[in-house]
């Protein structure tokens, strides 16, 4: 086991390889920070470079791009409320309020350290207990995956306890939007009204950019005081510098860090889930179990840690089924597999056994990238933070323009830009009327996973509902879901009873 | 005051986004009529995009990417693959036809979306809107099961299904696609197909014993078959496969099961694409497919089992024949 770690470091610390990893980290962070370029797209964009490399080096390079891009997404999420990758959306919940208070540097610091720790935990898990983790992943069939996505949805009841009904309505609206497009099982068009953009479903990224970035610009411009205040004391004027939290500060978030890193790793290995679902789920669970749950969403470091540790841990997780079974755990892993197949290497358990260099290089790359990435991201964040000094009257329209480009870049499709603009306006109405955009995104993200897995489980069990929900893993997860859903609603009554 | 100006500018940008979108959509229509380089020798001047209607890492995607790499060398311009997965390929086909037909967007396609149209799963006119250009490869489908499955071949499978009706289901990548047709043609109503949207999840569900069978391509599961986590029950081909490890796998042809569907993957173009671009693409594609890199890859992927390359005329004939077959077999009564 020790050999594997040493061997991995030997491979990636060779000067030429290290330079490549550094370059990979650099482009990864930048691609990740761009709205509309998701982590898997960043890997795909880096693919042509990898073709010229030796297979062992190529996979190390692609892994570094992948890990770094997930981290890069957090930078714009904190500074501008634009999640650079979908998996950074929950980072905005606490990161952006902190940035608004003038604590952008601190927020970035927490985000980078949490990313690095989450990534490291997953890297070690992948290197040391890959076969065992893969065996766990295989226990998750359609019914279990349905339960996992339902667990994510159950958090709807506590995203905003003051406004339960409106939050639930927002979440259900998200679920409804997830049904638009081709039916995942039968391929029949639903709610498309003949529109070609809608046929492929409501894309998550444009909706997210619209709801978060565009809504924020509309909100800022209609609140004049904030703009003036910003110029005086906001992050714009005070030179934003990433401040790495002290060891003591990190230690205070230790339980969140541990829970999120482990959860992220496990969700990462499940085929069909990924970094986005990991970070939402992690944030959702923190909202339930954290001691500071009532402060989550107001701008506390724990919220950033929950999201960023989990989404980076998912990167390591997604490599587990690839290396131990030959099944890519996510889109980015699938692209890496393609790259190796084209080079004539068949990724799978036999490869890892006969040529342990591959596992070593993936591990070594993750190890080094997670360290190098903190430094690189600090440099890049500094450049991005300079943009904040621009007056909001100019910055606002620029953000809207960037949002439009991001939405367009996704599929080179103008329909997505319209979707983004529509989502921005709906998001503004949500803010005014007290509905919850985060709940809507949650419904949209988990909706299809929830639906298709439930229907798959239903068909596989010949319509026997009892046998679906009595599978041990499914049953346990579903019981905790129901507890989570019902408890906040009956809590007030229980307290009243006690008083009476 | 600043606030008002900013608000106006912001709204103006949003309106422009809307207006901009509207414009592109409407101006795309008359473009094909006024193609300038119709008669002259066509020269590709910028990036060519190949839309792949299936996700990253699958057989279709790998084919598209290997072909793109080889084609790039022939044409001297970048050839990029853009994955637009969903709805058994219809989403990607639909997307490709919504792009300007200027000779810079092509589509990788298989008969699956065509079948979706014939069965009525989609209203989209696949047959009418895209045209075959060149066939690249003709893959075969195989039927796999977990190593723990209580059957090892077709005969044992059928005995097991007779004894335990309804207990075995087959995972397919899209119920309206060719995989579903394989199951339908081979087993009728004895084995039901269950649709998956991600190949990774399907493979994991087979190994994890959540679904009894799966219709897959040999390349996608090569690692799992090699490691012994999966076993091959049969191949949906006329003759036994000649790849190593498949010596004892029965072919549909020898056990009297008439189900030979396999993804024939090729390049398509949308209506209105300039004639010059089509001719130039066909010539370059022939060289790309014949190139050493592409052929070597085809061999490792087991794509040398059936002849792959077809030129525009032959491919058109095969595509029309497929359409007639599908209408006869699955057409809405």
């Amino acid at each position: 086991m020790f050999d594997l770690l040493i061997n991995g470091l030997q491979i990636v610390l060779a000067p030429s390889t290290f330079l490549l990893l550094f370059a990979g980290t650099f482009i990864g962070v930048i691609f990740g920070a761009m709205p509309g370029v998701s982590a898997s797209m960043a890997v795909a964009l880096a693919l042509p470079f990898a073709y010229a490399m030796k297979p062992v080096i190529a996979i190390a390079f692609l892994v570094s791009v992948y890990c770094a891009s997930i981290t890069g997404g957090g930078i714009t999420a904190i500074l501008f409320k634009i999640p650079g990758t979908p998996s950074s959306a929950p980072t905005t919940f606490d990161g952006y309020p902190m940035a608004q208070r003038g604590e952008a540097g601190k927020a970035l610091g927490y985000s980078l350290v949490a990313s690095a720790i989450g990534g490291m935990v997953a890297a070690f898990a992948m290197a040391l207990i890959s076969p065992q983790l893969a065996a766990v992943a295989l226990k998750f069939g359609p019914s279990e995956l349905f339960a996992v996505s339902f667990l994510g949805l159950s958090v709807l009841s506590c995203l905003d306890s003051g406004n339960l009904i409106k939050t639930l309505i927002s979440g259900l609206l998200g679920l409804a939007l997830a049904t638009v497009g081709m039916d995942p099982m039968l391929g029949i068009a639903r709610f498309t009204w003949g529109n070609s953009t809608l046929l492929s479903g409501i894309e998550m990224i444009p909706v997210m950019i619209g709801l978060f970035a565009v809504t924020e610009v509309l909100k800022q411009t209609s609140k004049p005081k904030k703009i003036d205040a910003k110029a005086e004391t906001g992050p714009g004027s005070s030179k934003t510098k990433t401040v790495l939290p002290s060891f003591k500060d990190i230690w205070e978030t230790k339980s969140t860090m541990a829970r999120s890193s482990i959860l992220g790793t496990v969700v990462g290995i499940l085929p069909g889930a990924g970094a986005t679902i990991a970070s939402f789920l992690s944030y959702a669970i923190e909202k339930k179990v954290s001691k500071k749950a009532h402060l989550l969403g107001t701008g506390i470091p724990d919220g950033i840690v929950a999201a960023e540790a989990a989404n980076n841990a998912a990167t390591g997780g997604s490599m587990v089924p690839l290396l131990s079974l030959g099944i890519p755990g996510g889109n980015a892993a699938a692209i890496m597999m393609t790259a190796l197949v084209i080079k004539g290497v068949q990724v799978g358990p036999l490869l890892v056994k006969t040529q342990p260099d591959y596992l070593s290089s993936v591990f070594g790359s993750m190890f080094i990238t997670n360290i190098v990435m903190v430094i690189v991201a600090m440099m890049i964040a500094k450049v991005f933070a300079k943009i904040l000094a621009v007056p909001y009257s100019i910055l606002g329209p620029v953000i809207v323009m960037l949002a439009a480009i991001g939405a367009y870049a996704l599929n080179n499709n103008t329909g997505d830009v319209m979707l983004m603009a529509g989502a921005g306006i709906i998001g503004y109405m949500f803010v005014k009327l007290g509905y919850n955009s985060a709940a809507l995104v949650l419904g949209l993200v988990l909706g299809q996973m929830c639906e298709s897995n439930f229907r798959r489980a239903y068909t596989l069990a010949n319509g026997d509902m009892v046998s679906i929900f009595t599978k041990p893993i499914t049953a346990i997860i579903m019981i905790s879901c129901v507890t989570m859903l019902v408890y906040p609603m009956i809590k007030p009554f229980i307290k009243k009873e006690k008083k009476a | 005051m600043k606030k008002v100006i900013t608000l106006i500018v912001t709204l103006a940008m949003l309106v422009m986004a809307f207006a901009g979108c509207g414009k592109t959509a409407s101006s795309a229509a008359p473009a094909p009529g006024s193609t300038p380089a119709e008669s002259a020798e066509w020269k590709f001047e910028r990036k060519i995009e190949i839309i792949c209607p299936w996700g990253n890492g699958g057989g279709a995607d790998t084919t598209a990417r290997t072909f793109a790499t080889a084609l790039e060398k022939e044409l001297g311009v970048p050839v990029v693959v853009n994955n637009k997965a969903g709805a058994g390929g219809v989403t990607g086909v639909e997307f490709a036809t919504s792009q300007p037909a200027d000779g810079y967007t092509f589509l990788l396609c298989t008969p699956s979306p065509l079948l979706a149209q014939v069965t009525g799963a989609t209203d989209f006119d696949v047959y009418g809107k895209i045209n075959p250009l060149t066939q690249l490869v003709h893959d075969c489908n195989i039927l796999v099961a977990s190593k723990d499955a209580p059957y090892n071949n077709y005969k044992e499978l059928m005995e097991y299904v007779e004894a335990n009706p309804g207990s075995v289901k087959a995972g397919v990548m899209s119920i309206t696609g060719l995989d579903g047709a394989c199951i339908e043609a081979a087993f009728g109503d004895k084995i039901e197909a269950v649709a998956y949207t991600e190949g990774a999840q399907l493979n994991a569900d087979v190994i994890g014993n959540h679904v009894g069978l799966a219709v897959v391509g040999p390349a996608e599961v090569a690692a799992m078959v090699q490691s012994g986590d999966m076993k091959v029950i049969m191949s949906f081909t006329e003759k036994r496969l000649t790849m190593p490890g498949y010596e004892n796998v029965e072919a549909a042809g020898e056990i009297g099961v008439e189900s030979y569907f396999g993804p024939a993957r090729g390049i398509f173009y949308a209506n209105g694409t300039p004639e010059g671009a089509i001719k130039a693409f066909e010539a370059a594609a022939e060289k790309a497919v014949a190139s050493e890199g592409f052929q070597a890859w085809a061999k490792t992927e087991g794509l040398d089992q059936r002849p792959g390359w077809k030129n525009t005329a032959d491919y058109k004939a095969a595509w029309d024949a497929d359409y007639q077959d599908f209408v006869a077999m699955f057409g809405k009564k």
Side-chain angles (χ1 to χ4, degrees):
Chain A
M1 221 35 97
F2 199 61
D3 295 351
L4 179 106
L5 310 186
I6 298 293
N7 188 22
L9 290 179
Q10 262 170 359
I11 294 174
V12 297
L13 286 179
S16 59
T17 315
F18 183 75
L19 264 181
L20 282 175
L21 287 198
F22 190 82
T25 310
F26 195 78
I27 57 175
V29 173
I30 291 187
F31 281 150
M34 286 183 195
V37 181
S38 61
S40 51
M41 211 189 276
V43 176
L45 287 170
L47 209 53
F49 300 105
Y51 283 146
M53 301 172 199
K54 274 188 262 165
V56 175
I57 310 296
I59 194 159
F61 171 74
L62 292 175
V63 163
S64 76
V65 174
Y66 179 34
C67 294
S69 63
I70 294 275
T71 308
I75 297 176
T76 34
I78 290 170
L79 293 177
F80 309 112
K81 209 180 179 181
I82 307 177
T85 53
S87 61
S88 306
T91 313
T92 61
F93 300 162
D94 281 278
Y96 189 69
M98 277 181 80
Q100 277 189 313
R101 285 203 306 261
E103 296 175 345
K106 193 176 154 198
L108 284 170
Y110 270 104
S111 143
L112 294 182
V113 172
S115 295
I117 293 179
M120 286 284 192
V121 168
F124 276 100
M126 179 201 76
L128 301 176
I129 49 166
S130 225
Q132 291 84 343
L133 283 175
V136 173
L138 289 180
K139 294 251 185 296
F140 282 74
S143 73
E144 287 83 2
L145 283 176
F146 163 72
V148 169
S149 48
F150 195 80
L151 178 69
L153 287 176
S154 70
V155 79
L156 281 176
S157 67
C158 64
L159 264 183
D160 182 358
S161 44
N163 233 333
L164 190 60
I165 299 294
K166 282 183 177 173
T167 309
L168 282 180
I169 291 176
S170 313
L172 290 174
L173 199 61
L175 281 179
L177 289 178
T179 64
V180 172
M182 284 277 185
D183 175 308
M185 303 298 284
L186 303 172
I188 292 161
R190 297 189 297 203
F191 307 116
T192 57
W193 292 287
N195 183 308
S196 60
T197 307
L198 293 179
L199 195 70
S200 45
I202 305 251
E203 285 268 11
M204 176 174 57
I205 293 179
V207 170
M208 209 123 78
I209 297 175
L211 281 182
F212 291 114
V214 176
T215 298
E216 184 58 27
V217 173
L218 291 173
K219 220 166 87 184
Q220 288 283 355
T221 47
S222 56
K223 273 189 206 157
K225 265 185 193 162
K226 235 188 182 151
I227 298 166
D228 293 340
K230 247 186 154 29
E232 300 285 319
T233 58
S237 61
S238 65
K239 294 140 236 135
T240 303
K241 203 168 153 256
T242 309
V243 191
L244 290 185
S246 69
F247 182 75
K248 197 170 139 252
D249 292 340
I250 292 294
W251 188 248
E252 271 175 24
T253 63
K254 61 179 183 299
S255 29
T256 304
M257 194 77 88
R259 277 192 296 263
S260 307
S261 301
I262 294 169
L263 183 85
T265 312
V266 173
V267 174
I269 61 173
L270 300 181
T276 309
I277 292 182
S279 63
F280 269 100
L281 210 55
S282 162
Y283 192 86
I285 295 214
E286 284 309 306
K287 196 87 194 165
K288 283 291 178 190
V289 300
S290 169
K291 282 196 192 102
K292 297 183 197 155
H294 57 288
L295 289 173
L296 277 181
T298 59
I300 59 166
D302 299 64
I304 300 175
V305 169
E308 287 294 317
N311 65 23
N312 272 73
T315 58
S318 73
M319 298 302 287
V320 167
L322 180 67
L323 293 171
S324 51
L325 297 168
I327 299 172
N331 278 339
I335 299 172
M336 290 178 209
M337 185 168 155
T338 314
L340 290 179
V341 167
I342 288 179
K343 295 189 91 62
V345 179
Q346 183 71 59
V347 196
L350 291 183
L351 178 77
V352 174
K353 269 185 208 130
T354 55
Q355 296 193 50
D357 271 7
Y358 283 94
L359 181 59
S360 301
S361 83
V362 169
F363 170 76
S365 169
M366 283 193 172
F367 188 86
I368 295 297
T369 302
N370 276 305
I371 296 169
V372 172
M373 147 186 113
V374 175
I375 302 156
V376 171
M378 274 172 83
M379 276 159 35
I380 292 174
K382 210 169 159 187
V383 178
F384 271 90
K386 283 226 170 75
I387 302 171
L388 279 180
V390 176
Y392 210 85
S393 49
I394 296 172
L395 185 59
V398 169
I399 289 180
V400 174
M401 191 187 73
L402 281 178
I405 295 173
Y408 179 75
L410 182 66
N411 290 318
N412 294 347
N413 191 344
T414 46
D416 289 332
V417 183
M418 304 240 257
L419 199 58
M420 183 275 300
I425 291 164
I426 288 174
Y428 187 66
M429 280 158 50
F430 265 38
V431 171
K432 286 282 154 199
L433 301 172
Y435 287 88
N436 194 320
S437 300
L440 185 135
V441 172
L442 194 69
L444 186 60
V445 169
L446 294 172
Q448 205 178 28
M449 181 179 167
C450 216
E451 185 203 344
S452 59
N453 279 305
F454 178 74
R455 289 173 62 184
R456 224 165 265 149
Y458 185 80
T459 317
L460 286 173
N462 287 323
D464 180 1
M465 294 289 255
V466 178
S467 79
I468 297 176
F469 290 110
T470 47
K471 287 189 171 186
I473 299 177
T474 316
I476 292 169
I477 302 178
M478 289 309 287
I479 289 169
S480 36
C481 288
V482 172
T483 322
M484 279 192 184
L485 266 178
V486 176
Y487 184 66
M489 295 183 207
I490 55 167
K491 203 164 93 183
F493 298 102
I494 296 176
K495 275 189 183 157
K496 260 185 212 160
E497 295 264 311
K498 272 185 187 161
K499 270 182 196 163
Chain B
M1 193 56 208
K2 237 181 189 174
K3 161 202 163 192
V4 178
I5 295 175
T6 319
L7 193 63
I8 291 171
V9 173
T10 310
L11 285 174
M13 301 227 46
L14 277 181
V15 170
M16 271 157 66
F18 271 119
C21 299
K23 222 176 187 178
T24 355
S26 58
S27 67
S34 55
T35 41
E38 192 91 46
S39 52
E41 182 104 331
W42 181 273
K43 181 103 182 73
F44 288 104
E45 285 161 343
R46 54 184 167 89
K47 180 190 84 172
I48 295 176
E49 191 170 67
I50 297 178
I51 311 291
C52 174
W54 291 274
N56 289 313
D61 180 58
T62 332
T63 308
R65 286 181 194 277
T66 316
F67 174 68
T69 314
L71 188 68
E72 220 165 53
K73 289 190 189 125
E74 297 301 328
L75 291 176
V77 291
V79 181
V80 298
V81 176
N82 182 2
N83 297 82
K84 276 300 285 178
V90 179
T91 308
V93 176
E94 213 282 337
F95 177 76
T97 56
S98 70
Q99 299 299 301
D102 54 6
Y104 287 90
T105 304
F106 293 91
L107 167 76
L108 182 111
C109 199
T110 75
S112 290
L114 186 62
L115 185 58
Q117 179 193 356
V118 171
T119 54
T122 173
D123 295 335
F124 186 75
D125 185 10
V126 178
Y127 188 64
K129 293 231 169 122
I130 58 168
N131 310 282
L133 209 167
T134 63
Q135 182 176 297
L136 304 177
V137 294
H138 194 174
D139 204 351
C140 24
N141 271 334
I142 57 173
L143 190 68
V144 294
S146 155
K147 66 172 189 292
D148 311 319
Y151 33 78
N152 296 300
N153 53 42
Y154 178 76
K155 193 166 155 270
E156 289 174 25
L157 171 64
M158 292 320 280
E159 281 167 9
Y160 186 81
V161 172
E162 291 295 337
N164 309 280
S167 64
V168 181
K169 301 270 194 302
V172 298
M173 273 309 287
S174 168
I175 211 149
T176 54
L178 283 177
D179 307 355
C182 267
I183 293 296
E184 167 89 28
F187 304 107
D189 53 3
K190 292 213 176 81
I191 294 178
E192 194 181 345
V194 186
Y196 279 76
T197 41
E198 276 180 63
Q201 198 189 336
L202 173 57
N203 293 339
D205 276 6
V206 171
I207 299 183
N209 287 311
H210 299 287
V211 61
L213 297 164
V215 180
V216 291
E220 294 151 45
V221 294
M224 288 155 269
V225 171
Q226 260 177 32
S227 67
D229 288 314
M230 267 187 193
K231 59 188 173 193
V232 186
I233 304 293
M234 63 181 283
S235 66
F236 293 106
T237 51
E238 299 81 355
K239 289 180 290 190
R240 285 196 187 196
L241 302 178
T242 57
M243 291 173 286
Y246 283 82
E247 296 82 8
N248 300 320
V249 176
E250 289 170 330
E254 60 181 299
I255 44 180
V257 178
E258 294 223 352
S259 176
Y260 307 127
F261 297 104
R265 304 190 189 109
I267 301 294
F268 287 71
Y269 61 92
N271 291 342
T273 303
E275 195 60 38
I278 297 167
K279 286 271 173 282
F281 192 97
E282 186 190 2
E286 181 161 17
K287 284 188 205 150
V289 168
S291 72
E292 204 180 308
F294 191 88
Q295 285 304 321
W297 164 80
K299 196 166 163 50
T300 56
E301 295 279 293
L303 289 165
D304 53 350
Q305 303 290 321
R306 287 167 166 169
W309 166 261
K310 277 198 177 87
N311 65 19
T312 307
D314 291 346
Y315 197 18
K316 176 101 179 69
W319 182 250
D320 290 343
D322 273 347
Y323 180 70
Q324 304 302 338
D325 281 353
F326 289 156
V327 171
M329 279 174 70
F330 302 102
K332 274 188 283 189
K333 305 273 151 54

